[in-house]
Amino acid sequence: MSDKKVRVRFAPSPTGPLHMGGVRTALFNYLFAKKHNGEFILRIEDTDQTRFVPGAEEYIIESLNWCGLTPVEGPGIGGEFGPYRQSERKDLYKKYADQLISSGWAYYAFDTPEEIDALRKEAEANKETFSYGIGTRENLNNSLKLSQEEVQQKLTSGEAYVIRFKMPEDTDVTEEDLIRGSVTFNTTKSLDDKVLFKSDGMPTYHLANVVDDHLMKISHVIRGEEWLPSMPLHVLLYKALGWEATKPRFAHLPLILKPVGKGKLSKRDGDKMGFPVFPLKWTDPQTGDISRGYREDGYFPEAFINLLALLGWNPGTDKEFFSLEELGELFSLERVVKSGSRFDPEKAKWFNKHYFQEKTVDELALLFKPVLKEKGVEAGDEKIAKVVAEIKERCEFVSDLWDQSYYFFEAPESYDEKTVSKRWKEDTPGKLSEISVLFESVSDWKAEAIKEAFSAFMNEKEWGFGVVMNPLRLSLVGGNMGPDLFVICELLGKEETIKRIQLAIEKIG
Ligand code: GLU
């Protein structure tokens, strides 16, 4: 690597919620910066006013914060190279577009959107695609074709124009991609004359992106594969602007693929199969449509980061669990693969389970408390911690805690019918009544002591254990689930245990 200071940027456009692929791009940039003691920057690319979505920028920032991917420079943070929102840098780009015109690398085009549309339709009718550039530009309404006077007259009369890049003819543009190796594009075969500057006075993505990467001293451009076709234009722009010597290195990340079938992971895959593709919940400001988020679905950011890191990168070992810090030490672009990586929603859950199990009982109890509060349950810290300790192993998500433990906090309102018909016999109420009398006499209400008293009583009566244990469990929890029965008794408390036995006798009869 060159001795240039590593400065990387995540440059999203605020056009909607950030897809998990976008978060992975941010993550890989962040990790690359960490690995090389560099700087991770956030730049908001909002020059396309027609695609601006309110709330999207806030969403992006909140997502990065949730994941712990905090930039050192960015909107709201500041930095030496600000502002970091392109709309606030608006006035800065025109001079570069003008410079490109003077040096012959760009030209004015006066064609109206309607004219371009007509050309497109005409080409379509001939089963061709219209492209503005080599082979067509000579005959269109632009400064390459018009005389200098005509151009000047149009400009002074305020006619709307765009500035287009003048693609050099039949040139091979070759660039080394840090993931893909050497990539070559031929200008005549694959590149049109992209608009650099729009009639609304704003630069397009291409111009703003290159100018800002240059001005912000970006050393490496790490972004999604969908931007690979833009690379030759960007490379030529560096050349045209005289910035070749400090041009950043490029790395294009592979796609994240659908769990089944072909193509890029989309929101629809998530909707169909029941998993989120966005980091946080998103409410579309226009339609009110809600998209689920990893955070709201109960994922820990550690799990989300870990699973994203392994989509396209691998450590070269079998190790699968990494903290953000470990990733920052291990990450390298050489270990990023070229081909897309399939997303596995089951594996995502598996990661969450791991981080769930890593948490201490006290940490989980703290996360469980607001859930209980929402359910209107009042319970002491000690009981909550004990319940969590009992059921932790069966859970993957904080939300599982309630599903696995609600009966510790509320008496059953109904009883599982199957269990009733299988386990509740005619003599069950009588037996359970005797058990509740026995329980009254247990003075040290601890699982061990309850079990001891129970066993002695059962032996004396010569009753089969299952004959009593199963309906007893049914009375206490409403079904045949849960941990050790005597632990349940202890946690419910003596009074509640006896109350539930009476209730079951009354209700089931
Ligand atoms: N604004 C572009 C995006 O939305 C940035 C692409 C790049 O990183 O150059 O992804």
Side-chain angles (χ1 to χ4, degrees), residues 308-479:
L308 283 181
L310 293 175
L311 286 172
W313 173 82
N314 70 76
T317 63
D318 288 343
K319 188 171 147 83
E320 292 199 270
F321 299 116
F322 300 94
S323 67
L324 189 57
E325 211 182 311
E326 281 174 293
L327 288 168
E329 284 159 19
L330 289 172
F331 186 78
S332 78
L333 287 172
E334 288 81 53
R335 300 214 71 91
V336 175
V337 295
K338 284 197 228 22
S339 52
S341 347
R342 198 165 285 290
F343 173 67
D344 177 357
E346 287 310 310
K347 184 110 193 215
K349 286 188 195 153
W350 178 80
F351 272 114
N352 209 63
K353 179 164 190 177
H354 170 81
Y355 287 98
F356 184 98
Q357 297 303 331
E358 291 262 285
K359 300 245 182 254
T360 64
V361 164
D362 288 340
E363 283 170 325
L364 291 174
L366 215 59
L367 294 169
F368 192 26
K369 270 176 138 177
V371 180
L372 290 172
K373 199 169 165 211
E374 204 178 290
K375 304 274 180 199
V377 165
E378 279 192 39
D381 288 355
E382 201 187 336
K383 175 166 177 181
I384 297 175
K386 280 187 173 163
V387 167
V388 168
E390 279 308 317
I391 54 150
K392 180 181 166 185
E393 255 176 64
R394 303 157 194 252
C395 303
E396 296 176 346
F397 292 92
V398 171
S399 58
D400 295 340
L401 287 169
W402 174 255
D403 299 338
Q404 292 291 343
S405 74
Y406 60 90
Y407 51 81
F408 283 108
F409 305 103
E410 29 185 59
E413 279 174 10
S414 63
Y415 302 89
D416 178 55
E417 272 175 38
K418 255 203 196 144
T419 316
V420 172
S421 67
K422 200 164 153 202
R423 306 291 190 185
W424 198 273
K425 303 284 176 283
E426 221 171 287
D427 59 352
T428 301
K431 288 197 163 85
L432 287 185
S433 291
E434 288 194 53
I435 295 295
S436 66
V437 173
L438 165 78
F439 280 174
E440 283 286 2
S441 72
V442 178
S443 51
D444 177 23
W445 193 254
K446 288 276 177 309
E448 268 308 304
I450 307 165
K451 185 177 177 182
E452 216 171 278
F454 181 83
S455 305
F457 186 78
M458 295 290 286
N459 285 335
E460 191 192 306
K461 290 278 184 187
E462 294 185 345
W463 291 345
F465 268 65
V467 174
V468 181
M469 299 264 277
N470 287 309
L472 180 55
R473 179 179 291 276
L474 180 71
S475 315
L476 300 183
V477 309

Side-chain angles (χ1 to χ4, degrees), residues 9-59:
R9 83 306 191 269
F10 178 51
S13 298
T15 54
L18 189 60
H19 185 275
M20 59 193 280
V23 183
R24 192 206 44 183
T25 299
L27 172 65
F28 284 14
N29 273 284
Y30 174 91
L31 297 178
F32 188 76
K34 281 277 166 236
K35 172 78 192 192
H36 298 286
N37 287 320
E39 281 149 1
F40 170 63
I41 294 142
L42 174 65
R43 183 173 73 225
I44 297 292
E45 301 209 321
D46 57 350
T47 57
D48 189 348
Q49 290 164 328
T50 60
R51 295 184 63 212
F52 177 80
V53 172
E57 180 185 318
E58 291 77 3
Y59 179 96

Side-chain angles (χ1 to χ4, degrees), residues 5 8 39 56 94 103 123 140 143 455 488:
K5 172 140 187 95
V8 290
E39 281 149 1
K94 179 71 173 32
S103 57
L140 295 166
S143 57
S455 305
I488 297 178

Side-chain angles (χ1 to χ4, degrees), residues 9 11-13 45 205 209 221-223 227:
R9 83 306 191 269
S13 298
E45 301 209 321
Y205 155 71
N209 186 271
V221 168
I222 305 170
R223 60 186 173 192
W227 301 102

